[in-house]
Amino acid sequence: MTDDTLADAEIAALMLRHPKGFDLSLDRIARLLEALGNPQDKLPPVIHVAGTNGKGSTIAFARAMLEAEGLAVHVHTSPHLVSWHERYRLGQRGAPGRFVDDATLADAIHRAAIANDGAPITVFEILTAVTFLLFSEHPADMALVEVGLGGRFDATNVIRQPAAALVSTVSLDHQSYLGDRVELIAAEKAGIFKKGSPAVIGQQGDDGALDTLRQRAASVGAPATIYGEDFLAYEEHGRLVFQDGGGLVDLPLPRLPGRHQLANAALAIAGVRAAGVAVSDRALEAGVTAAEWPGRLQRITSGPLFDMAVPGSELWLDGGHNPGAGTVVAEAIAEMEDKSPRPLFLIAGMLSTKDPVGFFDAFAGMARHVFTVPLRTTDAGLSPDELADAAFDAGLDAEPCDSVEQAIRLISTGWTSRPAPRIVVCGSLYLAGEVLRASGLSPR
């Protein structure tokens, strides 16, 4: 027996009756929420966050800042890495929020399933309804709600009047659902903008995405605050400087590694301010340094996998799985390389719906070798052979393996020179969850 048995059993029952994927529409969840008494209309002020990359980190920063100010903050994120409970963090006044306990989650899932009464719906929609049920029944000062897929027709987009709607970096991903051009994807993300609610647009690497987001905010009457125009962040003398119309705030560099986290922290600050929350500089500083976001450039320093590596090795984990994520991870690794050169090895697993060549392109000329592995917790992964072929197509040496463990052993036996290697396990949140579970590092 595990602590998760009750909720897992309820979710397993849902999986037998309903589809596991996405079916982008709001009709089914609106019907279910009506049967539940429309809990989405009984929430504390909501900051709604969409984007291709960076939305989870943005939420982590915002949560840490708000909690440092003493506020109780509900947080919904998806997908989870190890446990379904990670999707539902309930705020507590005077203390950090905690993942929902098993009995409470199981009860909410059971009530949502009964209210649905067997009608057609996806599992994600039921679990999103559970978010609103839980958040409406437990008092808090704020709620941070991450979009699952897209924005316009995502099940979370029944929030009528968010305190602020944020869009982080937009790039190509989920093209079969959202479109094959970044402008089309940006238009879907911008579907969370609502008339009269502030729209906060994070750093965009594509002018087409930025123009689309700006135009959609204007068309619905959402006052827009835009990175690079109304606010920005930069590093100066080893510090993070945030600037907006109110002036400059001098902060420590984020605890989360990677230059891209400066822009994510800035989006969080701008989003919290746009939502009308007065957060002190002290709380901003505490939030920037306290924020955690598991599975995203997370350094593994203990556990069986770490122990298998050559002594002195670095073992890193990142669940990014699209070309944009590959770029920011490669840039972060390049910064590490400048400070501490080491041979780089990748261990990668990836879903069949992703663009592996686009992901691996970012590491061309950096990685000495790629070991490709299967995903054990889903049947939708690319085979190691197919993934190795994709790495070859991106100009990388690669070979398939049976597991992360085998890959680490091969690196350990094949690399005996100094310095010890830098190993990055990457390509999938499923793989990130598997590594965290094997390392005894489940998110808290």
Side-chain angles (χ1 to χ4, degrees):
M1 296 284 285
T2 70
D3 292 339
D4 300 349
T5 299
L6 295 173
D8 284 348
E10 292 288 346
I11 293 169
L14 293 180
M15 297 283 192
L16 292 175
R17 295 195 297 268
H18 302 289
K20 289 185 285 186
F22 292 90
D23 188 353
L24 297 181
S25 165
L26 297 180
D27 295 339
R28 293 176 301 275
I29 190 164
R31 171 189 49 74
L32 173 55
L33 290 169
E34 177 74 24
L36 289 167
N38 287 313
Q40 78 280 8
D41 296 333
K42 303 169 186 175
L43 305 181
V46 174
I47 296 177
H48 200 189
V49 185
T52 307
N53 296 309
K55 57 185 183 291
S57 297
T58 299
I59 284 178
F61 282 122
R63 174 199 158 213
M65 294 167 186
L66 292 167
E67 289 186 339
E69 196 61 48
L71 302 180
V73 186
H74 292 329
V75 182
H76 166 266
T77 57
S78 67
H80 62 277
L81 296 176
V82 177
S83 165
W84 292 96
H85 300 65
E86 298 167 35
R87 298 181 180 223
Y88 314 95
R89 188 183 293 272
L90 299 182
Q92 304 181 109
R93 289 195 173 94
R98 293 181 176 273
F99 294 149
V100 63
D101 68 82
D102 190 55
T104 301
L105 178 56
D107 174 69
I109 296 170
H110 186 70
R111 285 186 286 143
I114 289 175
N116 187 64
D117 196 26
I121 199 165
T122 65
V123 172
F124 179 76
E125 287 167 323
I126 292 181
L127 295 179
T128 301
V130 167
T131 300
F132 299 132
L133 200 57
L134 291 170
F135 289 6
S136 69
E137 294 175 345
H138 294 81
D141 300 301
M142 295 289 297
L144 305 174
V145 177
E146 180 184 0
V147 165
L149 178 65
R152 183 166 62 113
F153 289 123
D154 183 75
T156 63
N157 203 29
V158 293
I159 300 166
R160 302 178 196 275
Q161 202 72 31
L166 283 53
V167 176
S168 63
T169 305
V170 175
S171 60
L172 291 175
D173 198 8
H174 299 293
Q175 290 95 315
S176 60
Y177 288 101
L178 304 179
D180 58 1
R181 292 187 295 117
V182 72
E183 293 86 355
L184 296 175
I185 294 175
E188 293 297 321
K189 309 289 186 185
I192 69 170
F193 295 158
K194 306 293 195 309
K195 183 177 181 180
S197 292
V200 187
I201 299 169
Q203 184 180 43
Q204 302 300 320
D206 185 283
D207 289 341
L210 177 58
D211 291 344
T212 299
L213 294 168
R214 188 201 310 272
Q215 292 164 9
R216 292 301 173 110
S219 69
V220 301
T225 301
I226 300 172
Y227 185 94
E229 299 177 16
D230 304 299
F231 71 99
L232 75 159
Y234 53 91
E235 182 178 348
E236 186 173 77
H237 305 306
R239 303 277 291 178
L240 165 63
V241 179
F242 173 85
Q243 181 176 357
D244 65 4
L248 300 175
V249 183
D250 179 62
L251 300 167
L253 290 176
R255 175 180 179 178
L256 298 176
R259 188 165 296 276
H260 59 291
Q261 295 297 0
L262 275 65
N264 292 334
L267 178 57
I269 296 170
V272 166
R273 289 182 168 183
V277 183
V279 178
S280 65
D281 290 356
R282 176 200 58 78
L284 295 180
E285 180 169 337
V288 166
T289 55
E292 295 181 339
W293 192 227
R296 281 73 170 187
L297 273 177
Q298 178 178 355
R299 188 168 178 180
I300 307 297
T301 58
S302 63
L305 297 178
F306 176 77
D307 292 341
M308 291 177 188
V310 174
S313 297
E314 290 184 6
L315 180 60
W316 293 85
L317 176 66
D318 193 273
H321 46 257
N322 52 50
T327 297
V328 297
V329 172
E331 289 174 350
I333 297 299
E335 288 183 31
M336 297 178 197
E337 178 69 13
D338 288 340
K339 297 174 183 176
S340 173
R342 291 171 179 266
L344 174 63
F345 294 89
L346 303 183
I347 301 174
M350 194 168 287
L351 290 174
S352 60
T353 55
K354 302 304 177 182
D355 174 9
V357 177
F359 179 85
F360 286 129
D361 275 340
F363 297 94
M366 291 179 60
R368 288 178 178 266
H369 203 74
V370 180
F371 295 90
T372 57
V373 298
L375 302 177
R376 301 295 187 189
T377 49
T378 175
D379 56 5
L382 281 170
S383 73
D385 288 326
E386 292 173 301
L387 195 53
D389 287 343
F392 276 123
D393 290 343
L396 297 168
D397 290 330
E399 66 182 278
C401 287
D402 292 334
S403 66
V404 172
E405 291 84 352
Q406 183 189 24
I408 292 176
R409 289 191 191 99
L410 287 171
I411 295 169
S412 298
T413 57
W415 185 264
T416 56
S417 304
R418 291 293 171 184
R422 178 172 287 124
I423 304 168
V424 180
V425 185
C426 58
S428 170
L429 290 171
Y430 285 99
L431 185 61
E434 293 170 20
V435 168
L436 290 175
R437 187 181 295 107
S439 301
L441 296 172
S442 295
R444 298 172 295 167

